[in-house]
Amino acid sequence: MPPIEKDSGRNELKLRIQELIDTNQVVVFSKSYCPYCVKVKDLFKELNVKCNVVELDHIEDGPNYQELLLEMTGQKTVPSVFINKTHLGGCDKTMKAHKDGVLQQLLNGDASETYDYDLIVIGGGSGGLACSKEAAALGKKVMVLDYVVPTPRGTTWGLGGTCVNVGCIPKKLMHQAGVLGTSMQDARKFGWEFEETVKHNWETMTAAINSYIGSLNWGYRVALRDKSVNYDNSYASFVEPHKIKAVNKRGKEKFHTADKFVLATGERPRYLGIPGDKEFCITSDDLFSLPYCPGKTLVIGASYVALECGGFLAGIGLDVTVMVRSILLRGFDQDMANRAGKHMEEHGVKFLRKYVPVKIEQLEAGTPGKLKVTSRSTEGDEVIEGEYNTVLVAVGRDACTDKIGLDKAGVKVNTKNGKVPVNDEEQTNVPHIYAIGDILEGKWELTPVAIQAGRLLARRLYAGSNIKCDYVNVPTTVFTPMEYGSCGLSEEKAVELYGQENIEVYHSLFWPLEFTIPNRDNNTCYSKILCNKLDNERVIGFHYLGPNAGEVTQGFGTAMKCGATKEQLDNTIGIHPTCAEIFTTMEVTKSSGGDIKQSGC
Ligand code: FAD
Ligand code: NAP
């Protein structure tokens, strides 16, 4: 018997097996001498059901059939029984199905009762946990699988996904460390006297943050157990449209079937693909638990992750350079993005604009060591070199969809970016497979968006709800040292959609009261709303650069959901003295060119 080495022969045989399964009501892969096979064949005879029997010991490439059946179903032994394209299993499972009445349902074409679970969720991050807990609370039998593939440097973490472990939570806490540094400087002006030299201890900060994260990981496990969600710390991939293979960290394989699936596998940081990047650089996946202070750091990239990380590293006193390929915060209002960047620059962050790295070399090993970065101008042939202790690559994230067997389930992905297209009910092209969170094509990559989509999906699937996730006017905040909150359209987009003549922009600089005593950042904070003149000056864009941007933006997000107009903002009485009150008193339009400096309260 020739081994199935050649891909073409193997694929051909697999297609033959699949065709047998697809075109026969019952297929039994059997061995003529096996008593269990005889028992199963006798059962079908007794039931008067015609079955197509493949006696593997009678054909030359029987062992190859068995190898492929193992790959396709997780079962190598015979009998291996398929009914109406569904893999039922061996003799015991067939007999049990007969006893339970499930066999008859399968023969009638109703497979839903035979699956291990009602719902399997792949990915235990923001979206996956929300969806699985909601489905279980609605009485469904649910499994969630979550597995973290270690980074090239070996960093790994617990249950909860990106947000909890290597995203929002450690990021906001480290941002807070930076904010406290500034507050300490302000404190002296408010009368606080402290003699000692103030310095920051990286190890203390990371230990405290990671201990908090550990408690969150544990809390998620308990919540899953309390809700009776079966959690498996294994990597999942489809082997059939209704069946996944789960491999744990010891390499042990298990197979599970479900009526429906939700893909919530998230994204992981992209590397540059230049010499030395994977060997010597870190990403945000490594940064938050780095066991040593990164020292002089080069951040490559200019979006959310890059500017936030660069911002807090500078905030705790490190020497930080951000390498920008083109613009800051692509997709955001550029006026706001540049103001956030200017504030960083004025507070010590260096920007290397219009450069891309081409090579990273190690000069010295260590914690941190020393790296040489060679970069090229995007506007010419100029090549520059720089030395840093740490290089943080923050050039975007790739959807984790390429190794989860989507081809075996028939799920279409956008081959250019690995994203999964879904309809407005988060359903993929395969009706029983749904997708939520960061892997979705053209949607916001934010934790509350993934949570909302997951929860609403479970309610639609299992509670008769028809409420869909609304991806419009999602408020968000970039936690740069001067925070930037926004909701709705950027000025560029508003002009593109409605025309300059139909947009009224109201704006104002402002000076938070708290900044006056330390005398810092005078008239640096900025607020702006974009109103649609064709629609009663409805607010279609909200932008705020100032302290506590998330807290300020959240409420205005609700106001925009309610269709707030400029007049309604004007009729709202402000809370004094706050930063947010600026939105109730904005009078100067951008088109007037009037003075927007704030001179008093
Ligand atoms: P994830 O949370 O990424 O979860 C996916 C999970 O699936 C992961 O645990 C992954 O290991 C697991 N997995 C993948 N493949 C498999 C498989 N085959 N089998 C089993 N498990 C698998 N958003 C905000 O709203 N606010 C912020 O301030 C914010 N800050 C951020 C800061 C950083 C540095 C980063 C990187 C992101 C930040 N985000 C923020 C974005 C936010 O973290 C994501 O939008 C959110 O986590 C997406 O949730 P998700 O469920 O789609 O995926
Ligand atoms: P991103 O938004 O995709 O931005 C990637 C950045 O890297 C861009 O500045 C891009 O520059 C640059 N870049 C790409 N390839 C490069 C290369 N080869 N060399 C140099 N620069 C390169 O990615 P992200 O910042 O990782 O964020 C991912 C998602 O996470 C975001 O969409 C966001 O939704 C979410 N997130 C949210 C928060 C929050 O809510 N506060 C925080 C962090 C992340 P160009 O502009 O030139 O392409």
Side-chain angles (χ1 to χ4, degrees):
M1 186 270 311
I4 42 173
E5 273 165 3
K6 291 228 167 69
D7 269 1
S8 62
R10 174 196 177 83
N11 288 343
E12 221 171 83
L13 183 56
K14 202 165 171 183
L15 283 177
R16 251 192 354 251
I17 296 175
Q18 195 61 51
E19 201 183 332
L20 269 171
I21 297 167
D22 289 347
T23 53
N24 290 282
Q25 188 193 19
V26 178
V27 185
V28 179
F29 293 95
S30 156
K31 284 185 183 166
S32 56
Y33 54 80
C34 158
Y36 300 104
C37 299
V38 171
K39 197 168 164 191
V40 162
K41 287 179 279 189
D42 284 350
L43 173 69
F44 286 115
K45 226 179 269 165
E46 196 184 301
L47 294 173
N48 213 10
V49 172
K50 182 172 173 289
C51 64
N52 191 320
V53 178
V54 185
E55 300 289 9
L56 298 180
D57 55 327
H58 287 178
I59 50 180
E60 194 198 2
D61 52 358
N64 290 344
Y65 270 73
Q66 269 187 287
E67 285 303 325
L68 285 169
L69 282 169
L70 171 66
E71 192 182 303
M72 293 163 78
T73 65
Q75 182 194 325
K76 191 173 178 181
T77 53
V78 288
S80 191
V81 180
F82 290 81
I83 302 177
N84 280 325
K85 301 182 203 174
T86 298
H87 182 235
L88 178 60
C91 178
D92 286 353
K93 281 208 172 150
T94 309
M95 292 304 155
K96 183 171 180 300
H98 175 46
K99 200 166 148 222
D100 299 346
V102 170
L103 185 64
Q104 200 52 52
Q105 278 173 347
L106 271 179
L107 289 167
N108 294 344
D110 177 8
S112 60
E113 293 298 317
T114 66
Y115 300 122
D116 303 333
Y117 293 93
D118 295 312
L119 177 69
I120 288 182
V121 178
I122 307 181
S126 308
L129 288 180
C131 185
S132 55
K133 284 188 284 186
E134 191 71 13
L138 291 168
K140 293 296 149 183
K141 191 175 176 199
V142 183
M143 167 176 245
V144 62
L145 299 104
D146 189 63
Y147 185 88
V148 178
V149 177
T151 70
R153 291 172 70 101
T155 313
T156 185
W157 50 88
L159 177 62
T162 302
C163 171
V164 178
N165 296 285
V166 286
C168 330
I169 300 296
K171 181 278 305 288
K172 180 85 189 289
L173 291 171
M174 292 196 179
H175 169 69
Q176 174 65 6
V179 170
L180 284 174
T182 311
S183 299
M184 261 187 309
Q185 290 165 27
D186 290 357
R188 292 188 198 270
K189 296 278 174 56
F190 281 96
W192 288 102
E193 293 175 3
F194 41 99
E195 303 297 322
E196 74 275 23
T197 321
V198 180
K199 59 182 181 107
H200 184 266
N201 185 311
W202 175 269
E203 287 82 4
T204 307
M205 175 181 72
T206 45
I209 292 175
N210 285 292
S211 151
Y212 175 64
I213 291 173
S215 74
L216 293 179
N217 298 143
W218 174 248
Y220 287 125
R221 288 184 84 128
V222 172
L224 288 179
R225 200 186 54 207
D226 288 351
K227 292 239 158 52
S228 305
V229 175
N230 190 1
Y231 160 60
D232 186 4
N233 181 203
S234 295
Y235 189 87
S237 55
F238 281 95
V239 289
E240 279 178 36
H242 281 278
K243 188 178 215 169
I244 54 155
K245 178 165 79 177
V247 184
N248 73 11
K249 61 172 179 277
R250 285 179 291 281
K252 192 167 176 332
E253 290 182 3
K254 278 189 192 160
F255 291 81
H256 308 280
T257 59
D259 180 30
K260 293 187 171 55
F261 290 84
V262 172
L263 313 174
T265 48
E267 297 183 311
R268 294 295 292 269
R270 186 177 305 145
Y271 281 84
L272 290 155
I274 60 170
D277 70 339
K278 278 200 177 160
E279 292 93 317
F280 306 126
C281 299
I282 60 167
T283 68
S284 55
D285 278 0
D286 304 297
L287 177 67
F288 301 112
S289 58
L290 202 65
Y292 54 86
C293 180
K296 182 181 175 191
T297 302
L298 174 70
V299 179
I300 302 169
S303 199
Y304 265 112
V305 175
L307 296 192
E308 291 184 336
C309 294
F312 71 66
L313 291 175
I316 59 168
L318 302 185
D319 178 341
V320 175
T321 304
V322 178
M323 187 179 286
V324 183
R325 175 169 73 173
S326 58
I327 56 170
L328 303 185
L329 294 175
R330 181 176 298 284
F332 282 93
D333 188 292
Q334 281 302 292
D335 175 22
M336 301 303 296
N338 291 331
R339 285 172 191 270
K342 186 161 173 265
H343 175 270
M344 286 175 73
E345 214 158 4
E346 283 168 2
H347 287 265
V349 178
K350 286 166 263 188
F351 282 87
L352 258 179
R353 290 177 194 265
K354 305 278 165 78
Y355 280 96
V356 285
V358 288
K359 185 169 59 172
I360 319 281
E361 293 160 286
Q362 189 178 54
L363 299 176
E364 276 169 36
T367 53
K370 201 180 269 178
L371 301 171
K372 182 166 106 181
V373 180
T374 308
S375 313
R376 183 179 46 74
S377 163
T378 58
E379 296 177 320
D381 297 331
E382 193 199 347
V383 170
I384 54 167
E385 290 176 353
E387 285 182 16
Y388 304 91
N389 297 118
T390 298
V391 176
L392 174 73
V393 176
V395 295
R397 297 168 59 78
D398 290 324
C400 302
T401 52
D402 56 335
K403 296 187 183 71
I404 57 171
L406 292 184
D407 53 327
K408 306 229 171 60
V411 176
K412 282 196 189 126
V413 289
N414 178 339
T415 47
K416 284 200 192 112
N417 57 15
K419 296 272 188 168
V420 181
V422 290
N423 63 17
D424 64 353
E425 305 213 35
E426 285 88 25
Q427 190 175 36
T428 70
N429 64 304
V430 177
H432 70 277
I433 302 180
Y434 297 78
I436 53 174
D438 282 4
I439 59 170
L440 293 191
E441 169 103 74
K443 301 284 194 290
W444 285 94
E445 293 166 15
L446 296 170
T447 277
V449 175
I451 293 175
Q452 179 88 334
R455 206 173 274 156
L456 293 181
L457 171 61
R459 288 182 197 161
R460 283 196 309 276
L461 291 177
Y462 302 121
S465 163
N466 55 13
I467 301 172
K468 296 172 190 171
C469 184
D470 182 358
Y471 294 93
V472 177
N473 283 347
V474 171
T476 179
T477 288
V478 186
F479 294 95
T480 31
M482 187 62 87
E483 299 168 9
Y484 164 36
S486 79
C487 185
L489 302 178
S490 64
E491 197 171 331
E492 295 84 348
K493 197 78 194 166
V495 168
E496 183 191 318
L497 290 177
Y498 296 97
Q500 183 82 62
E501 67 286 6
N502 296 317
I503 303 293
E504 194 68 271
V505 179
Y506 294 87
H507 65 161
S508 180
L509 288 165
F510 63 97
W511 198 16
L513 183 64
E514 296 80 355
F515 292 8
T516 56
I517 300 301
N519 197 18
R520 68 173 164 96
D521 298 320
N522 190 354
N523 277 308
T524 301
C525 298
Y526 179 69
S527 54
K528 167 164 97 171
I529 54 168
L530 319 172
C531 301
N532 182 0
K533 287 201 235 171
L534 300 173
D535 184 18
N536 203 22
E537 286 212 312
R538 200 169 304 284
V539 181
I540 54 171
F542 171 96
H543 301 274
Y544 168 93
L545 181 77
N548 305 310
E551 314 300 336
V552 172
T553 309
Q554 183 70 80
F556 286 102
T558 309
M560 285 177 69
K561 273 256 168 288
C562 300
T565 60
K566 173 71 169 85
E567 190 186 3
Q568 285 168 331
L569 289 185
D570 292 342
N571 286 340
T572 305
I573 293 176
I575 301 172
H576 191 64
T578 63
C579 294
E581 67 177 319
I582 193 79
F583 290 99
T584 65
T585 58
M586 275 197 291
E587 277 164 10
V588 184
T589 59
K590 203 170 179 181
S591 54
S592 73
D595 185 9
I596 55 166
K597 285 204 185 76
Q598 194 190 26
S599 48
C601 62

